[in-house]
Amino acid sequence: MLTSQRRREILRRVAEEGYVEARALAGDLAVDPSTIRRDLDALARARQITRVRGGARPAPSGAADVPYVVKQQERLLAKTAIAQAAAELVADGMSVVLDSGSTIYQVGLALRERRGLTVVTNDLRTAKMLATVPDMRLLVSGGELLGSVYSLVGHAAETFVRDVAVDMAFLGADAIEVAAGITNTNSLEVPLKRAMMESAGRTVVCADSSKFGRRALVKVAALDEVGLVLTDTELPEGEAGPYGGVLRRVPVAETPAPDPGDGDTEAVFA
């Protein structure tokens, strides 16, 4: 098991169980206890967990997001297919706001083919990727850096977004469920997501099928507050039915589009 896979598994167990014991992790993951201690120390330095005697607990304030470099590689084929469907909704010359996250990053990649776009984003990786696209006006919000996911949040970001008016907003989601609607793990991101919705004529949520039938900590919006939810066909038709006409499933291609990103990685998941 790679270091990144092992640490991702540790994060999952911390989130699900509330406490993990280092000795048990070493046995379950078939590694030396010293390796697990280094993993826990690295995750604690990255503020993904809180180190306690003999193990670890979740980071305070629900801040233990799975880091961007892990999310970016998860379900990439599905995210690429969803992004292509999202980009087809956008015509040359339109204005859009792009939420943070790995799925919306793929939307940004797909939008590079459009001309004359105005793009507003709080995601630093998306902004860097789009910065060299010709004939595109790029606006990046201010705010405080949420380091684990490379996004800007807070009052300054919310004010910036509320002061613009765009044709469409593309939002990511940590979880989607019929009754709970669209929910998010990190409460710091939710006011900005709401501001994005308010600034846009239409809101499109992009989320792969693994996000469905789940609830996260904080509600972002009810399903009837968004115009469209895009996901992939790995969500079975029977499970998709209760979401009604707001949900569209798109087929997944066999190979992903190349990512011209900068290739940066976080040391904690190296």
Side-chain angles (χ1 to χ4, degrees), residues 107-226:
V107 175
L109 284 174
L111 289 176
R112 293 175 304 152
E113 303 303 318
R114 300 293 182 267
R115 292 293 174 262
L117 292 187
T118 296
V119 177
V120 181
T121 188
N122 69 315
D123 188 294
L124 295 181
R125 292 207 180 205
T126 297
K128 183 177 181 180
M129 179 267 293
L130 294 176
T132 58
V133 176
D135 195 27
M136 176 181 287
R137 185 183 183 193
L138 178 63
L139 290 78
V140 182
S141 75
E144 180 179 354
L145 177 65
L146 193 59
S148 64
V149 290
Y150 294 91
S151 63
L152 299 169
V153 297
H155 179 72
E158 296 159 27
T159 300
F160 183 91
V161 169
R162 284 197 175 95
D163 283 344
V164 301
V166 298
D167 296 308
M168 302 185 75
F170 292 95
L171 267 60
D174 288 338
I176 302 177
E177 198 253 2
V178 174
I182 299 145
T183 53
N184 203 66
T185 302
N186 196 320
S187 61
L188 296 174
E189 297 177 306
V190 172
L192 182 55
K193 288 177 181 285
R194 294 291 308 181
M196 290 176 175
M197 294 176 62
E198 293 166 10
S199 74
R202 187 187 190 195
T203 297
V204 178
V205 176
C206 302
D208 71 73
S209 55
S210 70
K211 306 294 180 64
F212 284 76
R214 299 168 45 193
R215 299 185 182 196
L217 181 65
V218 188
K219 185 169 184 175
V220 176
L223 288 171
D224 61 9
E225 293 182 89
V226 303

Side-chain angles (χ1 to χ4, degrees), residues 79-127:
K79 292 175 182 180
T80 302
I82 292 165
Q84 291 295 331
E88 291 173 3
L89 302 172
V90 180
D92 291 348
M94 288 180 65
S95 57
V96 301
V97 59
L98 300 181
D99 191 11
S100 62
S102 57
T103 304
I104 306 302
Y105 178 89
Q106 293 297 324
V107 175
L109 284 174
L111 289 176
R112 293 175 304 152
E113 303 303 318
R114 300 293 182 267
R115 292 293 174 262
L117 292 187
T118 296
V119 177
V120 181
T121 188
N122 69 315
D123 188 294
L124 295 181
R125 292 207 180 205
T126 297

Side-chain angles (χ1 to χ4, degrees), residues 52-93:
V52 296
R53 184 177 179 84
R57 295 189 183 278
S61 303
D65 291 316
V66 176
Y68 192 101
V69 70
V70 177
K71 289 183 177 181
Q72 193 174 37
Q73 298 306 315
E74 289 183 321
R75 302 184 58 80
L76 184 56
L77 293 174
K79 292 175 182 180
T80 302
I82 292 165
Q84 291 295 331
E88 291 173 3
L89 302 172
V90 180
D92 291 348

